Amino acid sequence: MSLVLLLQISVVAFFVFKENGIVDQLRQNAGNIMHETISRRKGVLEHEMQLWKQDVQQLSYEVNEIIQERVVQLNASGESYSSTEERNKKVLSRQVLKELTTQVSNGMYNDRVSGMFIILGTSDSLEKEDQDQTLAGISIVRSPEGELQLECGPEIIMEDIPLEKSENWKERWTLRAGEDNRYYYEPIRAANNDPMKRSYNLGYWYFPYEEDTVFSYTIPLISKNNMVYGIVGIKITEQQIREILPYSELDEKESGIYVLAQRRMDNQSEFYNMVKSEKQEEGFLSEEKLFSIESVDGINQIYSLTQNGSVQLDQEWYCTYESLELYEDDSPFSNVQCVIMGFLPKENLLEFVKTTQYLLMSAVLGAVIIGILGSLAAIKSTTSQISDLAGRLSVGNYNQPIRLGRTRIEEIDRLAEAIEYLSDNVAESASRLQKIISIADVGIAAFEYDTNSHTIHFMGSINEILKMPPETCQRIPAEKIKEAVAERYTIELQVTQDEYKIYSLSHKQLDYWLSMKLLEEKDRIIGVFTDVTKEMKERRKLEYERNYDILTTLMNRRAFSEIMENKLKHPSVMKVAALLMLDLDNLKFINDSYGHDWGDTYLKNMAESLKRIKWEKKITARLSGDEFIVLLYGADTQDELRKEFDQLYIDMNTFKMELPDGECVNVRASGGVAWYPIDSTEYSTLMRYADFAMYQVKNTSKGKYLEFNREQYERDSYLLEGGKELNRFLEERKVEYHFQPIVNAKDGSVFGYEAFIRPKTEMLKTPKELLSVARVQSKLYQIEKMTWFEVMQSYEESRETIGDVKIFVNSIPSQVLSDRDKYQFEQRYGHLISNMVIETTYRVEEDIQNSLKGSSWLQRYHVQTALDGFGSSYNNEKLLLSLSPDYIKIDRELIRNIDLDTNRQMIVGNVITYAKKNNIKVVAEGIETREELQMAICLGADYLQGYYLGIPSKTPTKLALSVTEMIQDVNCGKTTE
C-alpha cells in the first residue's frame, strides 16, 4: 500500500512540477492577466490620441477655409506683388490673424490639450532645413492656472482678442539649425513627397529624443491647388499622458510602472523611453533613454528588463507591451512603432505562483513521510501472520481505505491497526491532493500500467473522467480496460515527443472529449486523462459562428469569400459559373409593420428557398441583413444555370407567410448575375458586377434578376457607388450651406443672401452630382427638407449681424414638404418665413405643377418666388409666360463679358424692359468684373450678385464698404451722364 501511495504521489508531483504542468500554467495565467490589463489601457490611450488627432484635423480645416477665402479675395483684387513675402503679409491681414487666433483659442476650450499652434512656412522651407529660419506663427498655451496665453504671434493680436503673453512669448516662430525640429519638417516633407494625399493621412506624432516634457501632433496645411504652406498642431504635456497611465491598476501593491516607449527600427528588442507613469522607482529607467528587454522562458508575451542604461537595479523587473496604432497603413510614418509597456517586479508578478508551489510541495512531502513510515512498519513483520497479512493486502482495493481482520496476536493486530490507520491517512492525503487538483480547475485522472503483470491502477475520479461504471475502473487486466475505452471512444494520436505521446479521445455517443498523455518507461506506462470538453465545445462554437450565420444557418460573408477565392484558383472546376447576388424586397416593411420576429421568419424562408436549389455544385451564403449570395459552378453552358435561377424564383413564390393581420406574403427578392469567366475571373470584380446588376433591378421593376450589362455599367456605375455615399451624406449630415450677398444696384446695400449647398464628401463634390444621385435613389425629398431647415437655422443665427434681409432658398420644384414637416417648419421658423424667397429651376411641365401645389401654403406668409437661371436651356421666355415670379435671375452666361458683347446687352436689356412693365425685379447673376457691374447697372438691373461683390461663405457677412461705395459711384456717374 505504501509503495502504491508513493507511486501515486510521484505521478501527481511529476505532472504538477514538470514542464507545462500546473505551476507553469499558473505562471502563464499571471502573465496573461498582466497583458490583458495593458491591452485595456492601450484602448483608453488610443481613444484619447484619436480625440487629439480630431482636434488638429478640425483646426486644419478651419485654417484652410480662412486662408483660402483670403487668397480668393486677393486674386479677385488683381493686385501684383514683388515677392512671396509681400503676398504672405497681405494674406495675413489683421482680420485673418484675428480669425486664426480665434480658431486656435476655440480649440483650447475642451481642456484636452495644453497648447495649439499654427506655423506658416515659405515655399523654400525644406531647402533651408540646415539654416536658422524665422516663420510666421500663432501659438496659444495653457498656463498652470488654466488661463490661455499667447506664446507666439504678433502683439497686434492681443488688441483684438483678450490674451496675455506667456513668459516665453515671441513674435515669430524660430527653427534653429541643429535642433530637433521634426514636428515641422517631417509633415512638410511628407506632403511635398505625396501632394495628392489628404493632410490628415500625413499627421506626425513628435516624441522628442532629448529630455522634454512636451509632445506634439502636427499635420501639414495644403491649399486647394496642393501647395504646402505650413502646419497646425497640438501640444500634450508629459503629465497629461501620465494621467492616462494609472500605475495602481497593474497590481494591488501599486508597485507597477507604465512606460510609453518607441521601438528602435534596427533592433526590435531595444526601446526609447518617452514617458513613465507618476510612480518613480529609484534608478528605474532614469539615467538613459535607451533600454532593452528579452523574452521570459515559459511565459508568453512576458519580457525581462535586461539593460537599464548604466544603472544596476536591486530587483528583477518583468514587463509586457502592446503596440499603439498611431498611423494608418498608408501613412508615410507607418513604420514608426510606439508601444505601451507595463512593468512589475518579478517577485510581485509571480507571488501567487510561489505560494501555490509551496503548498503543493508541502502536501507531497507530508504524503512521502507517511508512506516511508508505513514501509518501515511492514519490513519489521517477519512472521507467517505478516505474510498472510501481506497476502490479504495484495488482493485489496487500494482505491478504498483498507480493513483487515484480527489474528488475536497483539503485535500482529497492532500492526494491522497501524496499517488500517496508515491507509486512512493515505486516503486522506490522496483526497487532499485531489482537492488541490480540483482547485486548479483541471479535470484530471492518472493511471499506471504494469507491463509485467499487465494490470492497470488508477488514481483520481477515473470513472467520472472516462464516463465508465465504477466497477470497470478497478485493478483489472489491461486488455479489458483497453476494450472498454475503445468501445466508447475514437482515439487519435496528436503529438509524439521525446518523452511522451499525446492522444485525443472523442466519445462516440456523447459530446465529450479527453486528452491522454502517455509516458513510457522500462516496466510501466504512466498516463494522465484530462477533460477538454469545455475547450472543444468552445472551439467548435467559435468555428461555427465564425463561418455561419446563426439565424439562417447559411455561410456568412467571411466563409463564402474564403471558399470562393479558393474555387477561382481552379478554372477546370469552375468551368462556366454564375454569381447571383440577391436583395430581399419588403424586409424593411415587414420589420417596421409587424416586428423583427416576423422579419426573421421572412429571412429564414429565403434561406430555405436557396437550400432547395438542386444544382449539386453550389455555395449559398447570407452576406448581411437582407443580402444573400449564390454561386453555381461546374456548368458547360450559361443556359444550364439560367434554368436553375428561373426555378429558384418559382420556388420562392411557394414560401407563403401569413402575417398577423391575415395578409399572406411570399419571398420576393431582386437579383443580379455576373458570369465567370465571361464577365471576369476575379472575385471582387464579379461581386461588384453582380451588385450593379442587382442595383439596376432594385431601381426599376424589383422581384426578378438581371444579368450584368457592361454598357450600362460604364454609363451608370458611379450612381451605385454614389448611392452609398449619399446614404452616408444623409446619415452623417455631411453638408454645409454657404451664403452669397445679393446687392441693391441703386445704393449698394445688401438686399438678401442666396444659400448654396456644399456637400462635404469624397465622391459627391458638387450640387449637380449630389442631386443626380439623389434623384436616382429617390431621395430628393431628404435633400429638400434638409435645405429648408438648415438654411433657416443659419439665417436665424446670423440675423443680429446681417439684419432683416431676404434669404433666397434654392428649392427642388418636384418636391413638396409633407404636412408634418410643414407644421414643424412653421412652428420653428414662422416668424421668418415672410423673409424667404423660393428660388427654383424648372426642367419639365410636372415641375411647374408641383411647384404651384407645393408653394400654395406659403402664400399666407407673402413668400416671394424667383425664377433662377433665366436664359438657360431650361428657364426661357415660354416658362416666364407660364409663371408670375417676383424676381428673374438672369443666367451668368448672359452676364459674362456683357460689357464687350452688344448682343448680350440687347437680350438682357429686353428682359429688363419686360420685367419692369410686369412689376418683376431683375437680379444679374455671375458678376465677376467691375465692367460687368457697370453695364448691369446701366441696363437697369435691380439687384447684383457675383464673386466680384462677395464669395459664398459659411456665415452671412456684411458687404465690404469699398463695394458699396463703388456701386454708389457708378450710379452717380450714370446720373451725370
Side-chain angles (χ1 to χ4, degrees):
M1 180 64 181
S2 301
L3 291 175
V4 174
L5 176 62
L6 290 174
L7 177 61
Q8 292 176 335
I9 294 170
S10 65
V11 170
V12 173
F14 174 79
F15 285 102
V16 168
F17 297 108
K18 75 178 189 68
E19 183 179 357
N20 295 324
I22 294 175
V23 172
D24 283 352
Q25 290 181 24
L26 291 174
R27 284 163 54 86
Q28 185 60 56
N29 286 344
N32 290 344
I33 291 172
M34 182 178 179
H35 187 76
E36 288 173 4
T37 302
I38 299 300
S39 297
R40 289 193 299 269
R41 184 50 51 185
K42 167 199 170 183
V44 174
L45 181 57
E46 285 183 341
H47 173 72
E48 290 296 324
M49 299 180 87
Q50 186 63 33
L51 292 178
W52 293 335
K53 291 170 70 175
Q54 291 174 4
D55 290 341
V56 179
Q57 292 169 11
Q58 180 62 30
L59 178 59
S60 168
Y61 172 78
E62 299 295 346
V63 170
N64 272 324
E65 287 287 312
I66 294 169
I67 296 297
Q68 189 63 31
E69 181 176 343
R70 179 58 178 164
V71 169
V72 170
Q73 291 176 349
L74 290 176
N75 290 341
S77 69
E79 295 184 45
S80 60
Y81 310 99
S82 60
S83 65
T84 302
E85 287 71 22
E86 182 184 353
R87 179 180 176 83
N88 288 343
K89 289 180 181 179
K90 286 286 186 178
V91 170
L92 295 178
S93 66
R94 180 169 182 171
Q95 178 62 26
V96 170
L97 288 172
K98 177 181 177 181
E99 292 180 12
L100 292 177
T101 308
T102 299
Q103 293 301 328
V104 175
S105 301
N106 292 341
M108 292 287 291
Y109 284 125
N110 57 26
D111 293 334
R112 282 198 292 264
V113 299
S114 63
M116 279 189 166
F117 58 90
I118 305 169
I119 305 177
L120 300 178
T122 59
S123 58
D124 57 352
S125 290
L126 283 177
E127 299 174 6
K128 298 179 180 180
E129 187 173 354
D130 57 349
Q131 305 174 23
D132 290 351
Q133 296 190 63
T134 302
L135 304 175
I138 296 171
S139 176
I140 296 178
V141 297
R142 198 182 311 281
S143 70
E145 294 77 23
E147 299 295 330
L148 299 185
Q149 296 181 341
L150 183 66
E151 183 185 45
C152 176
E155 286 187 280
I156 193 173
I157 291 175
M158 292 180 286
E159 295 179 11
D160 297 322
I161 298 175
L163 289 173
E164 295 183 358
K165 291 183 183 178
S166 70
E167 294 181 358
N168 301 320
W169 174 84
K170 51 192 175 185
E171 186 168 11
R172 294 173 67 82
W173 199 284
T174 302
L175 301 174
R176 301 195 181 280
E179 292 186 355
D180 188 2
N181 297 316
R182 287 175 294 134
Y183 63 88
Y184 176 79
Y185 290 116
E186 289 298 334
I188 293 289
R189 184 178 291 106
N192 282 330
N193 292 339
D194 193 352
M196 299 305 293
K197 192 181 289 293
R198 297 288 181 182
S199 62
Y200 54 76
N201 282 336
L202 301 172
Y204 179 73
W205 285 100
Y206 169 69
F207 302 106
Y209 293 133
E210 304 299 331
E211 291 296 333
D212 200 334
T213 60
V214 178
F215 304 84
S216 63
Y217 176 73
T218 54
I219 63 175
L221 290 168
I222 306 175
S223 67
K224 290 184 178 179
N225 59 359
N226 296 324
M227 182 184 75
V228 183
Y229 64 90
I231 64 169
V232 295
I234 58 169
K235 294 181 178 182
I236 307 104
T237 64
E238 187 172 358
Q239 182 59 32
Q240 284 180 279
I241 297 180
R242 283 176 173 169
E243 290 174 357
I244 309 173
L245 304 176
Y247 61 86
S248 58
E249 71 180 3
L250 290 173
D251 74 336
E252 295 179 353
K253 296 183 178 180
E254 300 187 358
S255 61
I257 297 177
Y258 270 118
V259 173
L260 188 63
Q262 181 174 331
R263 190 195 294 268
R264 283 188 59 175
M265 295 183 186
D266 57 345
N267 189 337
Q268 295 292 294
S269 64
E270 292 188 347
F271 299 82
Y272 291 103
N273 167 31
M274 297 185 295
V275 180
K276 286 191 300 182
S277 55
E278 291 184 342
K279 178 179 174 61
Q280 301 293 327
E281 183 73 18
E282 184 176 356
F284 183 83
L285 303 181
S286 58
E287 294 294 324
E288 300 181 18
K289 284 275 188 178
L290 188 65
F291 66 93
S292 61
I293 61 174
E294 65 179 13
S295 59
V296 175
D297 291 339
I299 312 181
N300 296 332
Q301 298 179 312
I302 297 297
Y303 307 85
S304 63
L305 180 62
T306 59
Q307 180 181 340
N308 182 35
S310 59
V311 176
Q312 297 295 324
L313 297 174
D314 58 359
Q315 59 181 330
E316 188 174 356
W317 287 81
Y318 277 4
C319 73
T320 185
Y321 67 86
E322 279 278 357
S323 297
L324 296 172
E325 299 178 4
L326 300 182
Y327 302 102
E328 301 294 336
D329 292 339
D330 58 347
S331 169
F333 310 110
S334 58
N335 60 336
V336 177
Q337 186 178 8
C338 291
V339 299
I340 177 174
M341 311 182 79
F343 285 85
L344 276 175
K346 174 184 176 181
E347 296 297 326
N348 292 15
L349 178 63
L350 302 180
E351 181 178 5
F352 174 75
V353 179
K354 287 189 174 181
T355 301
T356 304
Q357 189 174 4
Y358 173 77
L359 292 175
L360 290 172
M361 291 179 65
S362 299
V364 172
L365 182 59
V368 169
I369 293 174
I370 293 173
I372 293 173
L373 292 175
S375 299
L376 291 175
I379 293 173
K380 292 181 181 180
S381 303
T382 57
T383 65
S384 60
Q385 292 292 339
I386 296 300
S387 298
D388 183 59
L389 189 63
R392 278 183 280 168
L393 287 172
S394 65
V395 296
N397 182 0
Y398 298 147
N399 291 309
Q400 302 294 330
I402 296 175
R403 293 295 177 263
L404 302 173
R406 296 295 180 262
T407 64
R408 296 183 180 179
I409 300 174
E410 183 179 356
E411 290 80 2
I412 301 298
D413 290 342
R414 287 171 62 187
L415 176 59
E417 290 174 0
I419 293 174
E420 290 178 352
Y421 177 75
L422 179 61
S423 173
D424 292 340
N425 286 338
V426 169
E428 185 180 350
S429 298
S431 176
R432 285 200 298 268
L433 286 174
Q434 186 65 37
K435 288 179 180 179
I436 292 172
I437 294 173
S438 299
I439 291 173
D441 196 22
V442 178
I444 187 172
F447 70 89
E448 177 196 19
Y449 170 51
D450 190 328
T451 57
N452 295 322
S453 63
H454 300 289
T455 57
I456 296 179
H457 178 67
F458 295 101
M459 187 198 74
S461 303
I462 190 67
N463 56 300
E464 295 180 7
I465 293 295
L466 289 177
K467 302 294 183 187
M468 295 168 63
E471 60 271 13
T472 306
C473 302
Q474 305 294 335
R475 191 170 187 181
I476 58 177
E479 292 302 321
K480 185 176 180 181
I481 192 65
K482 285 183 179 178
E483 292 174 3
V485 172
E487 182 181 344
R488 291 170 172 81
Y489 291 90
T490 300
I491 305 174
E492 296 181 2
L493 177 63
Q494 299 292 319
V495 179
T496 300
Q497 297 188 1
D498 295 338
E499 297 181 355
Y500 56 84
K501 298 177 180 178
I502 301 178
Y503 294 84
S504 172
L505 285 74
S506 58
H507 204 285
K508 294 179 180 179
Q509 297 177 343
L510 306 175
D511 287 336
Y512 187 70
W513 290 266
L514 295 173
S515 173
M516 180 177 67
K517 294 184 180 180
L518 293 183
L519 175 64
E520 298 185 9
E521 297 182 345
K522 182 179 180 181
D523 297 324
R524 63 177 180 172
I525 298 174
I526 299 173
V528 173
F529 291 106
T530 305
D531 182 0
V532 294
T533 301
K534 182 178 179 181
E535 291 86 344
M536 289 296 295
K537 287 184 176 180
E538 193 66 30
R539 182 186 303 171
R540 288 193 169 190
K541 179 182 177 183
L542 290 175
E543 288 177 354
Y544 183 85
E545 291 179 350
R546 184 182 62 177
N547 294 320
Y548 289 88
D549 175 57
I550 302 300
L551 177 66
T552 63
T553 70
L554 296 177
M555 288 183 186
N556 59 23
R557 180 188 292 270
R558 194 207 68 78
F560 180 84
S561 299
E562 186 176 312
I563 295 176
M564 182 75 176
E565 292 282 9
N566 184 59
K567 293 290 184 188
L568 290 173
K569 296 177 183 178
H570 305 284
S572 60
V573 175
M574 289 289 287
K575 298 175 73 175
V576 174
L579 188 69
L580 170 64
M581 185 174 290
L582 295 159
D583 187 278
L584 268 180
D585 300 330
N586 302 325
L587 178 61
K588 185 177 186 303
F589 168 75
I590 293 174
N591 279 333
D592 294 344
S593 302
Y594 304 101
H596 287 273
D597 289 341
W598 288 97
D600 289 347
T601 302
Y602 192 53
L603 288 166
K604 290 177 183 177
N605 287 344
M606 180 63 188
E608 287 302 317
S609 65
L610 296 181
K611 293 174 184 177
R612 287 189 180 184
I613 297 176
K614 295 180 180 179
W615 189 263
E616 183 178 349
K617 296 180 179 180
K618 67 178 179 181
I619 307 172
T620 57
R622 181 186 180 192
L623 294 183
S624 60
D626 57 357
E627 288 189 352
F628 294 80
I629 193 149
V630 179
L631 172 69
L632 303 184
Y633 63 97
D636 295 320
T637 65
Q638 291 175 293
D639 288 339
E640 294 178 72
L641 303 183
R642 288 189 180 105
K643 292 179 181 178
E644 294 294 330
F645 292 146
D646 292 341
Q647 185 61 45
L648 169 63
Y649 271 79
I650 294 173
D651 291 342
M652 282 193 289
N653 286 323
T654 65
F655 280 91
K656 301 290 184 181
M657 184 172 72
E658 184 175 352
L659 298 170
D661 57 5
E663 182 181 351
C664 287
V665 297
N666 59 289
V667 175
R668 189 168 180 266
S670 300
V673 175
W675 293 97
Y676 172 96
I678 297 91
D679 294 327
S680 177
T681 59
E682 294 182 356
Y683 172 54
S684 60
T685 305
L686 287 170
M687 288 285 286
R688 189 167 64 252
Y689 288 172
D691 190 25
F692 176 77
M694 180 184 73
Y695 166 83
Q696 296 291 96
V697 179
K698 290 290 287 187
N699 287 279
T700 54
S701 57
K702 294 188 178 181
K704 64 179 183 179
Y705 75 91
L706 287 180
E707 297 180 19
F708 173 72
N709 183 294
R710 190 173 297 278
E711 246 180 66
Q712 290 180 343
Y713 180 79
E714 291 175 354
R715 185 182 69 244
D716 299 334
S717 61
Y718 87 95
L719 294 176
L720 174 63
E721 296 299 325
K724 299 176 181 177
E725 189 80 355
L726 177 64
N727 290 335
R728 287 193 293 270
F729 168 86
L730 293 172
E731 290 171 4
E732 302 174 17
R733 303 185 77 81
K734 290 188 173 184
V735 65
E736 289 180 353
Y737 289 91
H738 289 201
F739 298 85
Q740 187 176 40
I742 298 174
V743 182
N744 191 310
K746 300 297 183 183
D747 57 14
S749 63
V750 174
F751 173 71
Y753 291 88
E754 179 178 356
F756 296 94
I757 189 171
R758 293 290 183 262
K760 308 298 289 183
T761 64
E762 293 292 330
M763 179 176 294
L764 307 175
K765 298 181 179 180
T766 67
K768 180 180 178 181
E769 292 174 350
L770 175 68
L771 293 176
S772 296
V773 175
R775 184 173 290 105
V776 172
Q777 297 287 330
S778 300
K779 292 184 178 179
L780 285 173
Y781 182 82
Q782 289 90 323
I783 303 292
E784 179 77 351
K785 176 182 175 182
M786 180 189 296
T787 298
W788 281 57
F789 280 85
E790 295 283 345
V791 168
M792 293 307 289
Q793 180 179 345
S794 297
Y795 174 66
E796 184 178 40
E797 293 172 352
S798 305
R799 290 192 70 208
E800 290 187 6
T801 303
I802 63 176
D804 193 28
V805 298
K806 293 289 185 181
I807 180 69
F808 285 67
V809 181
N810 283 284
S811 178
I812 304 171
S814 62
Q815 304 301 310
V816 179
L817 291 184
S818 67
D819 291 341
R820 177 173 178 170
D821 288 336
K822 291 176 185 176
Y823 176 77
Q824 292 180 351
F825 189 79
E826 288 181 285
Q827 290 296 309
R828 188 167 179 181
Y829 301 114
H831 61 293
L832 300 175
I833 294 180
S834 60
N835 288 349
M836 293 177 65
V837 177
I838 306 302
E839 183 173 329
T840 52
T841 301
Y842 300 93
R843 286 173 167 77
V844 294
E845 180 66 26
E846 184 181 353
D847 285 351
I848 300 175
Q849 301 303 321
N850 285 332
S851 178
L852 294 173
K853 175 184 176 183
S855 61
S856 60
W857 68 283
L858 296 173
Q859 292 177 1
R860 64 176 177 271
Y861 293 101
H862 305 291
V863 172
Q864 296 178 307
T865 59
L867 179 60
D868 189 23
F870 183 81
S872 66
S873 58
Y874 297 116
N875 294 344
N876 50 36
E877 292 84 353
K878 179 181 177 181
L879 184 60
L880 183 61
L881 295 173
S882 302
L883 300 169
S884 298
D886 298 288
Y887 302 90
I888 296 174
K889 301 192 74 175
I890 299 178
D891 191 73
R892 66 185 64 187
E893 289 300 323
L894 290 177
I895 298 299
R896 182 177 291 120
N897 298 322
I898 192 172
D899 54 303
L900 305 175
D901 190 334
T902 56
N903 290 329
R904 281 184 166 86
Q905 294 171 17
M906 182 173 59
I907 293 172
V908 173
N910 290 337
V911 172
I912 293 174
T913 301
Y914 172 83
K916 290 185 180 298
K917 289 181 179 179
N918 291 274
N919 199 28
I920 300 174
K921 300 296 183 182
V922 176
V923 181
E925 288 188 304
I927 292 178
E928 296 184 355
T929 66
R930 180 185 178 93
E931 290 74 20
E932 291 173 353
L933 180 143
Q934 289 175 327
M935 182 55 65
I937 293 175
C938 291
L939 289 173
D942 299 289
Y943 303 104
L944 310 170
Q945 182 180 356
Y947 271 48
Y948 188 71
L949 302 168
I951 62 174
S953 60
K954 287 176 59 177
T955 304
T957 56
K958 291 185 176 181
L959 195 67
L961 181 61
S962 58
V963 175
T964 302
E965 293 175 347
M966 179 179 57
I967 293 174
Q968 293 173 351
D969 291 343
V970 171
N971 277 286
C972 289
K974 176 183 173 184
T975 302
T976 302
E977 292 175 3

